[in-house]
Amino acid sequence: MTELPKNFLWGGAVAAHQVEGAYNVGGKGLSVADVMTAAGSHDERRITDGVQEGEFYPNHEAVDFYHQFPEDVKLFAEMGFKSFRTSIAWSRIFPQGDETEPNEEGLAFYDRLFDECLKYNIEPVVTLSHFEMPYHLVTEYGGFRSRKTITFFTRFAEAVFNRYKDKVKYWLTFNEINNQSNYNREFTLFTNSGIQVKPGENAEAVMYQAGHYEVVASARAVQIGHKINPDFQIGAMVAFSPVYPATDKPADVLKAQRAMQARFWFSDVQVEGEYPSWLTRYQKAKQFNLDITPEDLAELKKGTVDYLGFSYYMSFATAASDHEDKYYSYNESEDLVTNTYVPRSDWGWQVDPEGLRYGLNWMNDRYHVPVFIVENGIGAIDKLEADHQVHDQYRIKYLRDHIEQMKLAIVEDGVDVMGYTPWSAIDIVSASTGQLSKRYGFIYVDRNDDGSGSLARYRKDSFYWYQHVIETNGDDL
Ligand code: BGP
């Protein structure tokens, strides 16, 4: 008996900078992803000053989706995808970011890609900003340090909304906009906002200012999009990693509550159209002196999103220290503790399928809008056998366990889930480490961390498993 809606959007997800390659083809300008080197499994990627001779940048070629997408989309159709999530690389459309007219070659590429998807009745789900800000906006304007970048973003949004208004219905504004709530991590502020904190700067204040400009940009884009096509469904997008209290000690519970508030103020604002009260008081008490105008607040109210997209990989836990201030301030790079009740992936991510059901209920109770699981998966070392098979039972188990929890949330808890696009449709470049060896896909790509490999594609065991899941609309896992 099919328990999920007939029109449930089963699919898979990627991002332009992690699959396309062709980093300087078709008029594309450098993006922030193009100046990040590869790193080891537990190291941070280095951000270089432009593209430096002798450095290896895995996103420059990625897995060459730019040239191979017709064959890849055919494989997605073979799995039975109803939807395919990717991003439009901002610097393909506005190579420098501050032009007034878009790059036609960039627009034409995504016309070809979306036409290929629609040929198989696959709905594109398109992210506008997925860690792909034009690098020129970083060097010239400081990324979202500058209010001007709001206009650059909304001009980009308007150009692609207009171009693809009859091909794309589902949109997302900023991918994992809340990663930067971990404001001490260089990778998050750089990929979310094109910002590198300077010595002596208050990183938390920098994050709140950039985050404000982004939620204003999102609100303006939503209003522009709805004018262009009232049928557009435009969502916000957050990384949903719930933060549990390490114990039932009241201080730990308060700490975890503040952690959830700090991680999800972005979605609070984008869904509800206003700042949560704790945050306005906190920002005032900390004297961040942010550039937040009454006109901005009016925009936020008018530009609320239609749904909430989110990624789910893992859950966190936190414990209060012995010297908490009255704010129980949350600093993610220092305040997390190990949850001994859940296993970890090869990259140390805490695997917690029940956390997905918890999150679906938390978002449903808080926001009362439809939600879309636009990323869920496990990065793992896959072995390509001599016969080109990949026996990724661990990936099947991870996804089965999470789909089971998703179904419980839909059927038993009544959560309105629009679809499920696991990360990732095909092996991609890892965002946080730049590795190809951290594989997520249903399709294996013969490319290694050092850039070697034929780029050939091979179906993994999970390809056939997921094909059956979709065929039975999630009945038979
Ligand atoms: C999220 C990003 C994706 C993807 C995913 C897996 O942060 O939205 O772009 O990268 O996580 O993470 P990683 O690639 O770092 O393993």
Side-chain angles (χ1 to χ4, degrees):
M1 185 270 282
T2 295
E3 299 172 330
L4 299 188
K6 274 270 168 283
N7 61 352
F8 190 74
L9 290 170
W10 294 100
V14 296
H17 75 286
Q18 293 172 265
V19 273
E20 290 178 5
Y23 83 105
N24 59 355
V25 171
K28 177 180 171 295
L30 281 183
S31 79
V32 292
D34 294 322
V35 298
M36 291 195 293
T37 66
S41 297
H42 302 286
D43 306 326
E44 287 290 326
R45 302 179 71 173
R46 278 183 299 108
I47 299 164
T48 59
D49 179 8
V51 174
Q52 297 294 326
E53 275 296 306
E55 292 283 5
F56 175 59
Y57 300 97
N59 300 80
H60 285 192
E61 191 180 2
V63 295
D64 196 34
F65 184 74
Y66 184 85
H67 296 107
Q68 302 202 33
F69 74 86
E71 294 79 15
D72 293 337
V73 172
K74 192 167 176 222
L75 287 168
F76 303 160
E78 186 184 333
M79 276 190 272
F81 279 19
K82 313 286 184 232
S83 66
F84 170 58
R85 179 197 177 212
T86 189
S87 56
I88 291 175
W90 187 346
S91 64
R92 277 200 198 289
I93 312 302
F94 288 93
Q96 300 299 300
D98 57 4
E99 302 92 337
T100 51
E101 292 305 319
N103 167 38
E104 176 52 34
E105 274 193 273
L107 291 170
F109 167 68
Y110 290 103
D111 263 325
R112 295 195 300 276
L113 173 57
F114 299 148
D115 289 346
E116 199 66 27
C117 292
L118 294 170
K119 189 167 93 177
Y120 299 102
N121 296 317
I122 297 173
E123 282 281 1
V125 177
V126 177
T127 313
L128 292 173
S129 182
H130 195 137
F131 309 161
E132 293 149 357
M133 177 185 287
Y135 185 61
H136 175 71
L137 295 185
V138 175
T139 56
E140 192 66 23
Y141 302 91
F144 271 108
R145 282 180 186 278
S146 168
R147 179 175 279 270
K148 289 180 183 155
T149 304
I150 296 175
T151 304
F152 300 141
F153 174 79
T154 52
R155 189 178 297 151
F156 161 54
E158 185 165 12
V160 296
F161 284 155
N162 268 317
R163 180 71 171 233
Y164 310 116
K165 64 181 180 301
D166 302 319
K167 297 181 180 179
V168 179
K169 174 180 177 181
Y170 299 99
W171 299 89
L172 294 159
T173 54
F174 288 92
N175 180 71
E176 294 195 330
I177 191 171
N178 64 327
N179 283 349
Q180 58 200 324
S181 61
N182 186 355
Y183 50 82
N184 277 338
R185 197 174 159 212
E186 189 179 42
F187 170 81
T188 56
L189 266 170
F190 189 65
T191 50
N192 277 142
S193 302
I195 292 175
Q196 288 181 281
V197 177
K198 297 174 186 133
E201 265 192 317
N202 181 325
E204 190 178 14
V206 169
M207 177 273 291
Y208 279 123
Q209 184 63 74
H212 174 70
Y213 289 152
E214 284 152 41
V215 294
V216 171
S218 176
R220 286 203 194 149
V222 168
Q223 295 172 77
I224 291 166
H226 284 160
K227 283 198 188 76
I228 291 168
N229 183 341
D231 293 336
F232 276 175
Q233 291 293 296
I234 306 173
M237 199 284 193
V238 289
F240 194 87
S241 303
V243 187
Y244 302 153
T247 72
D248 47 16
K249 191 165 76 173
D252 287 354
V253 176
L254 278 170
K255 184 76 176 179
Q257 182 178 57
R258 181 46 49 95
M260 292 294 278
Q261 290 172 320
R263 283 190 63 88
F264 299 104
W265 71 265
F266 298 86
S267 38
D268 290 350
V269 171
Q270 290 179 283
V271 176
E272 295 170 343
E274 58 188 31
Y275 274 88
S277 59
W278 75 271
L279 185 51
T280 46
R281 284 160 179 75
Y282 179 74
Q283 289 174 343
K284 191 158 175 282
K286 290 285 183 179
Q287 298 178 332
F288 289 147
N289 304 317
L290 302 174
D291 171 25
I292 297 177
T293 67
E295 295 73 21
D296 292 348
L297 299 179
E299 289 278 13
L300 296 179
K301 206 74 191 152
K302 287 186 290 185
T304 55
V305 294
D306 303 307
Y307 71 97
L308 180 58
F310 69 97
S311 61
Y312 181 79
Y313 292 96
M314 60 190 131
S315 62
F316 291 148
T318 190
S321 68
D322 299 335
H323 44 272
E324 289 294 338
D325 60 18
K326 59 185 171 182
Y327 305 109
Y328 283 86
S329 304
Y330 176 65
N331 180 341
E332 190 151 290
S333 53
E334 294 170 5
D335 292 344
L336 295 179
V337 297
T338 298
N339 180 344
T340 54
Y341 293 93
V342 296
R344 286 173 174 273
S345 76
D346 294 342
W347 272 262
W349 291 13
Q350 294 185 151
V351 178
D352 172 16
E354 284 82 359
L356 175 57
R357 182 181 182 183
Y358 169 82
L360 285 164
N361 276 280
W362 187 89
M363 283 178 269
N364 192 44
D365 294 348
R366 192 178 185 92
Y367 299 127
H368 308 289
V369 294
V371 290
F372 200 146
I373 305 170
V374 293
E375 292 181 30
N376 174 235
I378 185 162
I381 304 280
D382 291 348
K383 183 174 185 299
L384 182 65
E385 304 293 342
D387 61 1
H388 294 150
Q389 293 192 54
V390 177
H391 303 306
D392 57 340
Q393 303 316 317
Y394 39 84
R395 180 164 298 108
I396 292 170
K397 174 173 176 11
Y398 178 97
L399 294 173
R400 173 185 297 122
D401 292 348
H402 284 79
I403 293 171
E404 280 172 351
Q405 293 301 321
M406 175 186 77
K407 285 174 62 178
L408 286 168
I410 295 169
V411 176
E412 303 303 333
D413 307 331
V415 181
D416 180 358
V417 182
M418 297 159 65
Y420 179 71
T421 56
W423 192 267
S424 53
I426 186 170
D427 285 350
I428 40 90
V429 176
S430 159
S432 57
T433 68
Q435 293 171 301
L436 275 299
S437 56
K438 187 177 187 186
R439 296 176 184 279
Y440 284 91
F442 295 109
I443 300 161
Y444 185 97
V445 176
D446 178 14
R447 181 156 164 81
N448 307 303
D449 286 346
D450 61 3
S452 65
S454 66
L455 288 172
R457 272 78 162 139
Y458 303 106
R459 300 168 182 81
K460 302 181 189 176
D461 289 358
S462 56
F463 178 104
Y464 301 103
W465 168 80
Y466 192 50
Q467 183 183 48
H468 185 63
V469 168
I470 296 175
E471 208 174 356
T472 63
N473 197 28
D475 273 357
D476 184 8
L477 300 180

